[in-house]
Amino acid sequence: MPSQWFATWRARWMRIKRLGELGLSGVLLLIGALLVVALIPALPGVVSNALAGDIHAIKTLLVCTAGIAVCVLQWRWRTAIYPQLRRDASWERQS
């Protein structure tokens, strides 16, 4: 009996971990989308200032581009980053 109880709770814990990892990756993707939305209206001014030699505009462009890239890449490769999602993906390939 204890093994069945343990298996039930282990399965529930795995589901909770999977939902948490999906939630975290979704929140990071949302942050990337918000970065894009915030950068688009300011892009012409930031680019012109960066071309004029403003170091803060250059840093802004680099940081926003890197942030967007990290958010999108973690969503694209979420099955390689998050352990529970990696297990789920390998389980699906075996089936």
Side-chain angles (χ1 to χ4, degrees), residues 1-15:
M1 273 303 184
S3 62
Q4 183 181 8
W5 178 84
F6 182 73
T8 302
W9 280 101
R10 185 172 188 269
R12 286 182 185 168
W13 176 247
M14 291 300 157
R15 263 189 248 125

Side-chain angles (χ1 to χ4, degrees), residues 13-23 84-85 88 92:
W13 176 247
M14 291 300 157
R15 263 189 248 125
I16 290 169
K17 280 178 53 178
R18 183 177 186 276
L19 287 175
E21 290 174 358
L22 280 173
Q84 186 61 39
L85 298 178
D88 292 346
E92 288 173 7

Side-chain angles (χ1 to χ4, degrees), residues 34-54:
L34 291 175
L35 275 172
V36 169
V37 168
L39 184 63
I40 287 177
L43 196 59
V46 172
V47 169
S48 64
N49 288 342
L51 292 175
D54 184 10

Side-chain angles (χ1 to χ4, degrees), residues 9-95:
W9 280 101
R10 185 172 188 269
R12 286 182 185 168
W13 176 247
M14 291 300 157
R15 263 189 248 125
I16 290 169
K17 280 178 53 178
R18 183 177 186 276
L19 287 175
E21 290 174 358
L22 280 173
L24 178 63
S25 64
V27 166
L28 288 174
L29 183 65
L30 180 65
I31 290 170
L34 291 175
L35 275 172
V36 169
V37 168
L39 184 63
I40 287 177
L43 196 59
V46 172
V47 169
S48 64
N49 288 342
L51 292 175
D54 184 10
I55 193 73
H56 295 295
I58 294 170
K59 285 181 182 179
T60 300
L61 279 175
L62 288 175
V63 168
C64 285
T65 305
I68 293 166
V70 165
C71 291
V72 170
L73 286 175
Q74 72 84 31
W75 177 259
R76 176 85 172 113
W77 295 97
R78 66 190 177 274
T79 56
I81 297 170
Y82 302 104
Q84 186 61 39
L85 298 178
R86 187 177 331 130
R87 283 187 210 102
D88 292 346
S90 68
W91 179 263
E92 288 173 7
R93 275 181 278 183
Q94 290 176 358
S95 298

